[in-house]
Amino acid sequence: MSERLNIYYKNRKFKGTSERSHVHQWGEWHETFQCIFTQGDDIFLQKRSMHVKDYKGMVDVTVGGHLLSTETVEDGVREIEEEMGLNVSFERLIFLCTIPEELTTPEMIDKEFINIYTLEILAEELKKIKHDAEVEALIKVNKKDFYNFCLNHSKSCSGYQISDEEEILFTRDDFLPYSSTYFECLGALLNRR
């Protein structure tokens, strides 16, 4: 049985439910969940696997996924467990913002209300991370460097894979194709924390 998502009008008024494949085919607004792991002056990003259906090998926030029609935003912690193998309570998350975002590719029209949270991750939790097959690597990035990258003060950003400390340099072309507004909001809000 395919996943069903709640769909919305652009003003975020509830419209109904639809199969996930139809949501992307028809460009329906829907809700997603993102969580960015932080640790002091650093944040963590993921490099997506080359085996996932969408955005192969691209850089993205630590955790992200769709909220099913039966879920609330609090249920988004499911994505943290699925992608990183960590069971955390929603109460530990800090709400950052909700951003309406449109990502269009030749394969789909992805219109999301992205609910973004942060999680201050403990050192012992970082050691326990077992990311799933959708994630190739977890990348540790200095928060100030990411801020400059998000606000286009620098064209590239570097970080280190936590598994082997290999340096990774990425540009906007390596990131999911978020809008400038998404990056500006994300960079400014993360910098304020």
Side-chain angles (χ1 to χ4, degrees):
M1 185 172 177
S2 68
E3 295 179 343
R4 291 195 70 81
L5 308 180
N6 287 331
I7 57 173
Y8 300 86
Y9 294 100
K10 192 170 184 170
N11 65 1
R12 207 166 177 194
K13 183 175 164 70
F14 180 72
K15 189 176 182 181
T17 66
S18 184
E19 290 184 25
R20 180 175 172 168
S21 60
H22 294 156
V23 167
H24 290 146
Q25 181 182 1
W26 300 331
E28 296 282 6
W29 284 96
H30 57 285
E31 277 194 298
T32 60
F33 170 88
Q34 289 186 350
C35 185
I36 301 165
F37 291 2
T38 61
Q39 190 177 62
D41 293 332
D42 297 311
I43 67 164
F44 296 87
L45 304 173
Q46 68 163 267
K47 183 174 182 197
R48 293 173 59 81
S49 166
M50 293 303 290
H51 305 291
V52 291
K53 182 180 176 197
D54 305 313
Y55 309 117
K56 296 178 187 322
M58 300 192 94
V59 177
D60 196 6
V61 297
T62 320
V63 171
H66 290 82
L67 293 176
L68 304 177
S69 62
T70 57
E71 294 180 317
T72 65
V73 73
E74 289 85 2
D75 296 312
V77 294
R78 164 187 58 80
E79 292 288 345
I80 297 172
E81 186 166 13
E82 285 176 11
E83 292 186 19
M84 297 295 154
L86 296 178
N87 187 351
V88 300
S89 69
F90 182 76
E91 290 70 32
R92 285 187 56 199
L93 306 186
I94 297 171
F95 178 69
L96 204 58
C97 65
T98 299
I99 298 177
E101 182 70 4
E102 297 183 45
L103 298 104
T104 304
T105 68
E107 296 82 33
M108 68 177 162
I109 305 164
D110 197 4
K111 295 181 178 180
E112 303 180 356
F113 292 110
I114 307 173
N115 300 286
I116 307 174
Y117 291 81
T118 61
L119 171 66
E120 182 69 19
I121 191 162
L122 306 172
E124 56 269 19
E125 289 175 317
L126 192 60
K127 292 176 187 171
K128 291 180 183 175
I129 287 178
K130 299 274 190 264
H131 50 75
D132 72 359
E134 292 182 9
V135 181
E136 182 177 306
L138 201 57
I139 307 165
K140 184 177 186 177
V141 178
N142 178 273
K143 201 181 288 184
K144 194 69 164 173
D145 292 345
F146 190 67
Y147 168 80
N148 288 325
F149 172 76
C150 285
L151 272 64
N152 259 336
H153 297 160
S154 59
K155 297 296 179 195
S156 64
C157 189
S158 66
Y160 295 89
Q161 288 187 169
I162 64 165
S163 59
D164 59 10
E165 297 195 9
E166 179 185 335
E167 184 176 15
I168 292 188
L169 183 71
F170 57 89
T171 67
R172 288 272 183 100
D173 290 339
D174 300 312
F175 226 96
L176 261 71
Y178 296 118
S179 67
S180 294
T181 302
Y182 174 92
F183 280 108
E184 288 165 11
C185 288
L186 193 62
L189 290 168
L190 283 170
N191 192 51
R192 283 178 46 196
R193 295 225 168 262

